[in-house]
Amino acid sequence: MWRRLSRSQKLLATAASATGVGGAYLFYAESQRTRQRHAQYMATLNGLPVAHAESLQAHAGVVETDIKPHDFWAPPSRQEMLNKLKGLDKDGQKAKEHEEFDLLIVGGGATGAGVALDATTRGLNVALVERDDFASGTSSRSTKLVHGGVRYLQKAIQELDYEQYKLVVEALHERKIFLDIAPYLSHQLPIMLPVYKWWQVPYYWIGCKMYDWFAGREALESSYVLTRSKALEAFPMLKKDELVGALVYYDGQHNDARMNVALALTAVNHGATMANHCEVKSLTKDENGNVNGAVLCDVFTGDEWTVKAKGVINATGPFTDGLRKMDDKENSEIVAPSAGVHIILPNYYSPGNMGLLDPATSDGRVIFFLPWQGNTIAGTTDSPTEVTHNPLPKEEEIQWILNEVEHYLSPDVKVRRGDVLAAWSGIRPLVRDPNATKTEALVRNHMIHVSENKLLTIAGGKWTTYRAMAQETVDRAIQEFNLKPTHPECRTEVIRLIGSHAYSNTMFIKLIQHFGMETEVAQHLANSYGDRAWAVGTMADATHQRWPVFGKRLSPQYPYIEAEVRYAVRREYASTVVDVIARRTRIAFLNAQAALESLPRVIEIMSDELKWSKERQKKEFDDAVEFLTTMGLPSSSSQIVYPVTKDHHPAGAPIENAKSHDAIFSRARFLPDELKEFQSVFSELDHDKDGHLKAEDLPKVFSRLGVPVKQDVLDAAIKALDNTSNSSVEFSEFLEIMSQVKDIEIRRHLTNEKGGKISLERSGGGV
């Protein structure tokens, strides 16, 4: 039988055996007629385009009862996707047959990707374009919960509101589907409600039990009551004073950006054409004035072309009104943007397996305190805002979260601004129904609207219900645009996302045994890529150490490895550094400083993969630093330059004559009045007005500010800057010194240090 295999089949079989990917596969040569007949049967069974089902089976070379991505499946390249949008074949030549798309979806967030997956699995010819990257907006900036909505349930009961009840029931149904179709990206999470008054116990207990009851058969683990001692055992950092006990209920949690990428890749695997970094410049219309396509632009090259479709769907989230104005500049605005700020704290702020909900903050807003990706996430705020591409978290919002966190944590846990590792703001696109009589009333969930010119808009909603929103949208699109799907019913309730088919909770053990990876790295790969973790592992370079054997980390603090950068470029359409640090890995969301320090190596790897020029490398570095300022990195980091020395030149040798490898900026944020005073004293002593002070003048600055500091402490702080000259200090360097002096003095006070070596290691390493 081996003799009958082609050379490529032998190589594939050998690779499967060598890498252990999904077990040993038996490949055999199948006649064209048999393959075609089987593909037709499977296409009918699964609702897939026959051509795609045939190509998938031909690639896999194995008959399966359930069509799924083959372990060696690689998506078409971004350039191939652009060629399809232009009506070209994969080689860039004019395609012999090019039909207009059934649907052109604008927006690559959760909703847009969900619509693409639903439509393409019904047999429609689907295209999706995204101006930035998949999940680059709100879909990567959520609270990371897959939930029914405890707040909505409370309103439904208190106000006897049937609409709120329906929202909760729908979300609870979708929550179960969410956890089923992407088991490696989502999981159950117990969430504690601390109780400080006895009368709250039955109130919370009834609410939690009703939450379980509404879920019915799709409920997760049952809620339960904890005594005071058990509550403190489960959540040791909880405030003990007046604590009565706690209620614990279950919701889901997920990795939002990677979930979005998995949706996009699954849609591609089922035949959709998806292109990120592809912008809509204008909409096109037919002779009747109805929208029938768009003029697109490749963001990187500036190439423009026109794509035709029977229907266009606007799924652009906070930017919904921009596309509606392209349709008709007289269209009223329907988005009421609301900003939600989250912060990331070190993992010692919460236990690793339980979250906390504070339903009664100082101003009535609900705040979550959740373990996520090895750190702690706290938020969210809810305040009106303007729509911007990368919104900045406001300092007052960060401080509000810290103050609220401090209220229910033990006084022994000092909540410090310097412990904030990252902070970001997401824009929730609340919407008004333009057809409603009271336009000031906001739609409670989501809204589908079709304009006079046949532009279909889906807006609002939340991550948990993305699939239901997509189903309603495709149903409406079929009706409005008179589409003819080969499979009229939605199938996304049972279609598992790429990476889910061969995933198990223990597969990380096989990764450890096969690749010699650290346990933390193997668990991360399994929980981020599912069964695709094997492909990531095969790209990993040897560490040249006894252990781990494979898996060089991008940052020693986090389990992200260099192979993920290559995998993101080759298999996940990552085209910029920000794509990698923010959405393929989540390091920018976990620790802005660690992300900054990983930039040189990420750029080096991506330059090797994508053949970037010196100019492109510098631009990517600058863009990444600018992005990281929206993730909580101090604005003084704008002084950072792309690191290059004579001894080290990353691939392509980026910009020369850079000043330093190191990022010099303050890790601590000071209050505005403090900064004003610092600047005033600094400027007063800067006699030649060159923006520098001599190092020997620093004691004078501290003296005028009323900050006593010992000379050895000051020397240690200056040395920590790695200031090569040691003769002059800029204002940003002074802020860093001030920050370190404070920490050293605090640590000395706590440990009663008397001389000796002074440790500058910063607890939490916050920004």
Side-chain angles (χ1 to χ4, degrees):
M1 183 176 178
W2 180 261
R3 295 174 182 174
R4 294 199 301 268
L5 299 182
S6 67
R7 181 176 182 274
S8 60
Q9 288 173 321
K10 289 179 181 178
L11 288 173
L12 198 58
T14 302
S17 176
T19 59
V21 181
Y25 284 89
L26 181 63
F27 293 91
Y28 65 93
E30 190 178 35
S31 69
Q32 182 66 25
R33 185 167 61 179
T34 304
R35 185 185 298 115
Q36 184 176 8
R37 183 165 60 245
H38 177 72
Q40 290 173 344
Y41 166 73
M42 294 304 295
T44 303
L45 184 65
N46 292 276
L48 298 174
V50 174
H52 174 65
E54 181 179 349
S55 65
L56 182 61
Q57 291 298 307
H59 181 79
V62 62
V63 178
E64 296 173 329
T65 57
D66 173 37
I67 286 193
K68 65 180 182 181
H70 187 264
D71 292 295
F72 293 101
W73 176 77
S77 67
R78 178 176 178 273
Q79 186 57 54
E80 289 179 68
M81 289 292 173
L82 294 177
N83 287 344
K84 288 182 68 176
L85 287 171
K86 297 175 182 179
L88 308 175
D89 61 23
K90 65 178 183 179
D91 298 320
Q93 303 300 316
K94 188 69 176 179
K96 295 180 180 179
E97 296 182 6
H98 176 64
E99 300 178 1
E100 69 175 346
F101 291 98
D102 291 319
L103 290 175
L104 172 62
I105 302 162
V106 185
T111 305
V115 171
L117 177 58
D118 190 322
T120 195
T121 52
R122 298 198 202 193
L124 296 175
N125 189 12
V126 177
L128 179 147
V129 294
E130 161 61 44
R131 177 179 62 182
D132 193 345
D133 183 33
F134 306 119
S136 59
T138 306
S139 296
S140 63
R141 298 167 181 262
S142 72
T143 311
K144 324 303 181 189
L145 284 177
V146 187
H147 62 115
V150 174
R151 290 177 298 171
Y152 300 133
L153 175 61
Q154 183 182 26
K155 290 181 181 179
I157 296 172
Q158 290 179 343
E159 303 172 10
L160 298 178
D161 191 327
Y162 181 66
E163 291 299 319
Q164 294 281 5
Y165 162 77
K166 287 199 302 183
L167 289 180
V168 174
V169 172
E170 178 191 47
L172 288 172
H173 172 67
E174 293 300 318
R175 180 186 69 179
K176 183 61 168 62
I177 296 173
F178 206 114
L179 271 61
D180 287 343
I181 65 174
Y184 68 97
L185 289 170
S186 54
H187 59 274
Q188 297 184 41
L189 179 70
I191 300 177
M192 178 185 291
L193 286 152
V195 180
Y196 289 93
K197 299 183 185 300
W198 279 108
W199 64 265
Q200 291 178 327
V201 175
Y203 176 75
Y204 285 162
W205 183 85
I206 292 173
C208 289
K209 287 303 177 184
M210 291 191 71
Y211 195 60
D212 295 342
W213 183 67
F214 284 165
R217 294 181 179 179
E218 297 171 326
L220 306 181
E221 297 291 331
S222 297
S223 56
Y224 56 91
V225 179
L226 285 178
T227 63
R228 180 180 186 274
S229 60
K230 288 295 183 181
L232 291 173
E233 182 181 333
F235 210 111
M237 47 292 286
L238 204 60
K239 184 173 67 175
K240 302 176 183 178
D241 296 344
E242 301 180 0
L243 181 68
V244 173
L247 270 295
V248 177
Y249 73 96
Y250 282 79
D251 255 328
Q253 189 179 50
H254 74 136
N255 189 335
D256 52 6
R258 288 216 55 84
M259 178 74 179
N260 202 151
V261 171
L263 279 170
L265 290 172
T266 306
V268 170
N269 183 258
H270 284 81
T273 302
M274 315 275 284
N276 56 350
H277 301 287
C278 185
E279 183 178 4
V280 171
K281 304 298 288 187
S282 62
L283 297 174
T284 62
K285 297 178 180 179
D286 61 19
E287 60 274 9
N288 297 319
N290 295 329
V291 175
N292 69 345
V295 176
L296 305 180
C297 175
D298 183 347
V299 171
F300 298 127
T301 65
D303 291 345
E304 292 189 9
W305 68 97
T306 300
V307 168
K308 295 294 183 182
K310 296 173 184 176
V312 176
I313 295 178
N314 177 9
T316 53
F319 302 95
T320 292
D321 288 325
L323 201 68
R324 280 171 48 80
K325 296 287 186 181
M326 284 187 188
D327 170 30
D328 185 346
K329 62 182 180 181
E330 300 300 323
N331 279 337
S332 60
E333 294 186 354
I334 64 173
V335 172
S338 174
V341 172
H342 297 81
I343 64 173
I344 289 287
L345 296 167
N347 56 11
Y348 52 73
Y349 273 87
S350 70
N353 58 353
M354 181 171 287
L356 187 144
L357 167 64
D358 182 3
T361 60
S362 58
D363 62 1
R365 291 183 287 189
V366 171
I367 190 170
F368 287 95
F369 197 63
L370 311 167
W372 184 69
Q373 301 289 304
N375 282 347
T376 301
I377 183 173
T380 176
T381 62
D382 186 8
S383 57
T385 187
E386 295 182 358
V387 176
T388 56
H389 184 54
N390 283 316
L392 276 167
K394 295 180 180 179
E395 184 62 29
E396 55 266 31
E397 300 278 17
I398 296 174
Q399 291 293 344
W400 180 83
I401 295 174
L402 291 174
N403 291 337
E404 295 301 326
V405 167
E406 193 170 23
H407 290 161
Y408 54 79
L409 290 186
S410 168
D412 295 336
V413 180
K414 300 300 181 184
V415 180
R416 309 183 307 172
R417 178 59 179 85
D419 284 339
V420 176
L421 304 175
W424 72 86
S425 176
I427 301 177
R428 183 184 177 193
L430 303 176
V431 290
R432 302 181 181 92
D433 188 346
N435 297 327
T437 54
K438 295 182 179 180
T439 56
E440 70 275 12
L442 295 176
V443 176
R444 298 187 180 184
N445 191 6
H446 62 269
M447 179 196 71
I448 297 175
H449 178 261
V450 180
S451 71
E452 294 181 359
N453 300 326
K454 296 291 185 179
L455 174 66
L456 193 156
T457 295
I458 169 67
K462 60 182 181 179
W463 239 118
T464 307
T465 58
Y466 85 91
R467 195 207 62 81
M469 294 165 57
Q471 180 177 344
E472 290 182 37
T473 302
V474 176
D475 287 343
R476 184 68 177 274
I478 291 172
Q479 174 188 338
E480 292 289 340
F481 305 133
N482 194 29
L483 303 177
K484 306 296 181 183
T486 58
H487 197 291
E489 300 298 325
C490 173
R491 304 187 64 254
T492 51
E493 284 196 18
V494 296
I495 293 176
R496 289 176 293 176
L497 301 191
I498 186 171
S500 301
H501 293 83
Y503 168 77
S504 71
N505 291 331
T506 57
M507 70 168 288
F508 75 93
I509 298 174
K510 297 179 182 178
L511 293 173
I512 296 172
Q513 293 173 338
H514 188 82
F515 293 108
M517 290 178 171
E518 296 170 280
T519 300
E520 185 184 15
V521 170
Q523 289 176 326
H524 153 67
L525 293 181
N527 295 331
S528 297
Y529 301 90
D531 59 32
R532 308 288 115 173
W534 290 101
V536 180
T538 59
M539 296 181 188
D541 293 329
T543 63
H544 304 295
Q545 299 174 0
R546 190 185 67 81
W547 188 267
V549 182
F550 288 95
K552 294 181 180 178
R553 296 196 185 209
L554 288 171
S555 168
Q557 301 166 266
Y558 296 94
Y560 303 109
I561 60 174
E562 294 179 358
E564 292 180 74
V565 181
R566 297 193 188 279
Y567 185 83
V569 173
R570 297 178 189 178
R571 301 285 184 89
E572 294 186 337
Y573 300 111
S575 303
T576 70
V577 169
V578 174
D579 292 351
V580 170
I581 64 173
R583 294 173 288 272
R584 304 310 184 276
T585 70
R586 307 312 308 276
I587 191 169
F589 279 80
L590 291 171
N591 191 320
Q593 170 67 17
L596 177 70
E597 293 166 356
S598 72
L599 289 183
R601 182 57 181 152
V602 173
I603 293 175
E604 186 175 3
I605 296 170
M606 295 188 74
S607 297
D608 181 53
E609 292 287 329
L610 299 172
K611 311 306 177 187
W612 283 345
S613 65
K614 296 179 183 179
E615 292 74 17
R616 176 67 185 272
Q617 291 178 55
K618 180 181 182 301
K619 181 180 185 303
E620 288 292 330
F621 185 85
D622 293 342
D623 289 348
V625 171
E626 182 179 356
F627 171 79
L628 288 175
T629 62
T630 71
M631 304 303 294
L633 198 67
S635 57
S636 56
S637 62
S638 60
Q639 299 178 17
I640 301 170
V641 293
Y642 186 65
V644 171
T645 66
K646 292 181 179 179
D647 299 326
H648 174 68
H649 289 264
I655 183 170
E656 297 180 5
N657 300 323
K659 290 191 300 182
S660 171
H661 181 105
D662 300 300
I664 304 300
F665 60 91
S666 171
R667 286 173 175 243
R669 291 282 183 89
F670 298 94
L671 296 175
D673 290 342
E674 286 183 301
L675 287 174
K676 188 176 181 180
E677 183 181 9
F678 294 167
Q679 183 70 67
S680 175
V681 174
F682 191 93
S683 299
E684 184 179 344
L685 293 175
D686 180 14
H687 300 298
D688 55 2
K689 306 302 179 185
D690 65 347
H692 293 77
L693 285 183
K694 293 181 179 179
E696 54 263 34
D697 290 333
L698 289 180
K700 298 179 183 178
V701 178
F702 283 95
S703 176
R704 293 204 184 184
L705 292 173
V707 179
V709 56
K710 296 181 179 180
Q711 188 61 46
D712 62 336
V713 173
L714 183 58
D715 291 341
I718 295 174
K719 184 178 179 181
L721 288 177
D722 196 18
N723 189 320
T724 54
S725 67
N726 258 353
S727 59
S728 64
V729 177
E730 299 176 353
F731 184 66
S732 61
E733 295 174 325
F734 168 74
L735 292 180
E736 179 70 1
I737 293 172
M738 174 66 83
S739 174
Q740 299 206 38
V741 163
K742 283 188 174 182
D743 270 9
I744 294 171
E745 290 293 349
I746 290 172
R747 193 168 289 107
R748 271 192 165 180
H749 175 72
L750 292 175
T751 61
N752 195 27
E753 285 184 348
K754 295 181 179 179
K757 185 177 180 181
I758 300 172
S759 172
L760 295 177
E761 183 175 352
R762 189 173 303 272
S763 174
V767 295

